[in-house]
Amino acid sequence: MEQLREKAIIVGVQLQNETNFDYSMEELTNLAAACDLEVVGELSQKASRINPSHYIGTGKIQELSALLEAHDAPIVIFNDELSPSQIRNLESSLGRQVIDRTILILNIFAERAKTKEAQLQVEVAKLQYMLPRLTGLRESLGRQGGGAGLKNRGAGETKLELDRRRIEERISALQVELQQQVARRQIQRKQRHKNEVPVVCLVGYTNTGKSSLMNVIVETYHPGSNKQVFAKDMLFATLETSVRSIELPDHKTFLLTDTVGFVSQLPHHLVKAFRSTLEEVTEADLLIHVVDISDPQHEQHMAVTDETLKALGADQIPTVYAYNKADLTDLPYPHLEGDNVYLSAKQNSGIAELTDLIRSVFTDYVQCEILIPFDRGNVVSYFNEHAHVQSTSYEETGTRLALECRKSDFEKFRNDFVEL
């Protein structure tokens, strides 16, 4: 039997000059659905500023109470991050559970985090969110013991201080553990740099098809390798960074990285917590900005992604645009236009065109013609395996190769051949 989802009402304030409001409310509904909550009603208010004590005005509080009664909804979700006092005031005025956009996203992340590092990051973010809000969350503990002076403080107050200290200690311990995880990944990253393998990173809004695109590229160049990553049509399906090595038919190799999707108003606790995961992005040689071209809001999504990349300091990295899900539009695909490629990961169409754009990362390659003496057969074998040999012929004094190879390989074997 299908489990009944809890009902919720969503509430938002549209500030002056805010053009993105309808979309952010729609996204809030999707975030609620990802937490198994059913949005049964919506209340919005236009205002010049957010009410500091209750988020919305007094008249709207009464309207919201009536709406909650009518739908028999036990939960109210607010479209912004609420302050501790706002949560406290709203819960006492409405007599309902009050949650905000931040805790909704934190809960989704907590549920989806699979790797040790992602789990640590989410826990740190959740604890940092809870710390200033303990007062609101502990409202039921009756903190005030009667009488003057400090000796009569209620048990709740002491419990609160204990909780706060425990949380602070836990955050410190988790951050130490996270540092070790980050250090481990930096070692792996240095190793990759040493190997001179270019890094190509998939970035973009959540649910644009980054993981699906990665799977298609892996399957195209390494069929049957079972190196697929998890891909599903939902917000934040991928929370960890996956890296796959891709070798093209001409022996050029690059590392393809899939990252967590971005979302508007990503809680700052999470931006900080996931910065180490997203550091992969700042180390990339090329970014592939994946866009769901079938989504009417795709331009806003692109702007959010650009803002996030800027915050990470990754806005100077060369970027190509992969307009995915073109099969759901009337646009022609596969189609290449400058640094833009229109494709469909689902239809496995446009991968060759995207690969042509990715080739721009291979800058340290040289095109040459060389003559290798017959007693240097090992060098011929090496180039056959690691370079793109376009033609081979045999002369009196050795093997003649026309090829494209890495500059480093060219220098490494310089004394073993004659350049023609």
Side-chain angles (χ1 to χ4, degrees), residues 125-294:
K126 264 190 125 165
L127 291 172
Q128 285 172 334
Y129 171 85
M130 276 170 62
L131 200 55
R133 290 168 179 77
L134 279 179
T135 330
L137 301 170
R138 285 264 163 237
E139 194 63 19
S140 57
L141 279 173
R143 286 189 305 279
Q144 297 311 313
L150 293 174
K151 64 180 183 298
N152 285 330
R153 283 191 306 185
E157 184 93 345
T158 326
K159 173 92 172 76
L160 190 66
E161 283 162 8
L162 269 172
D163 280 358
R164 185 165 280 137
R165 194 162 70 242
R166 274 201 202 103
I167 288 179
E168 282 168 349
E169 284 166 3
R170 179 79 183 134
I171 289 174
S172 301
L174 288 169
Q175 282 173 330
V176 168
E177 215 177 321
L178 258 176
Q179 273 312 110
Q180 293 165 347
Q181 297 273 343
V182 171
R184 197 171 304 137
R185 206 182 37 245
Q186 279 169 342
I187 290 167
Q188 290 170 341
R189 219 182 285 148
K190 276 203 185 92
Q191 195 56 45
R192 281 184 227 148
H193 273 298
K194 224 160 94 181
N195 296 343
E196 295 177 348
V197 181
V199 177
V200 177
C201 211
L202 295 164
V203 296
Y205 211 72
T206 181
N207 210 18
T208 53
K210 294 185 296 299
S211 301
S212 303
L213 185 56
M214 182 171 197
N215 286 341
V216 175
I217 294 172
V218 169
E219 193 51 38
T220 301
Y221 296 109
H222 300 277
S225 64
N226 292 328
K227 292 274 174 111
Q228 263 63 6
V229 295
F230 179 65
K232 196 174 174 191
D233 180 13
M234 63 181 184
L235 299 179
F236 304 118
T238 304
L239 282 194
E240 30 273 343
T241 302
S242 307
V243 182
R244 298 289 181 270
S245 177
I246 307 289
E247 188 178 338
L248 301 176
D250 60 4
H251 297 303
K252 289 193 173 104
T253 302
F254 65 91
L255 291 172
L256 186 63
T257 306
D258 184 19
T259 58
V260 58
F262 303 151
V263 66
S264 59
Q265 294 169 269
L266 186 66
H268 62 280
H269 308 282
L270 269 181
V271 171
K272 258 181 14 206
F274 272 77
R275 179 150 283 176
S276 54
T277 306
L278 291 170
E279 269 174 8
E280 294 285 343
V281 175
T282 62
E283 299 284 332
D285 297 285
L286 178 74
L287 300 182
I288 300 176
H289 184 158
V290 184
V291 179
D292 174 359
I293 191 69
S294 71

Side-chain angles (χ1 to χ4, degrees), residues 80-132:
D80 292 279
E81 186 168 311
L82 299 173
S83 69
S85 61
Q86 283 171 333
I87 293 178
R88 203 163 54 246
N89 296 339
L90 285 163
E91 286 194 337
S92 82
S93 299
L94 299 166
R96 296 287 198 278
Q97 187 187 351
V98 169
I99 55 180
D100 61 16
R101 188 185 181 96
T102 300
I103 198 69
L104 214 49
I105 294 175
L106 286 170
N107 282 339
I108 297 171
F109 272 54
E111 209 178 292
R112 305 272 166 79
K114 295 283 183 291
T115 61
K116 180 72 177 155
E117 187 175 7
Q119 286 163 347
L120 290 172
Q121 286 169 328
V122 175
E123 194 179 340
V124 167
K126 264 190 125 165
L127 291 172
Q128 285 172 334
Y129 171 85
M130 276 170 62
L131 200 55

Side-chain angles (χ1 to χ4, degrees), residues 39-52:
V39 173
V40 291
E42 180 177 321
L43 183 83
S44 59
Q45 176 174 25
K46 288 186 175 176
S48 56
R49 69 187 184 109
I50 280 168
N51 181 307

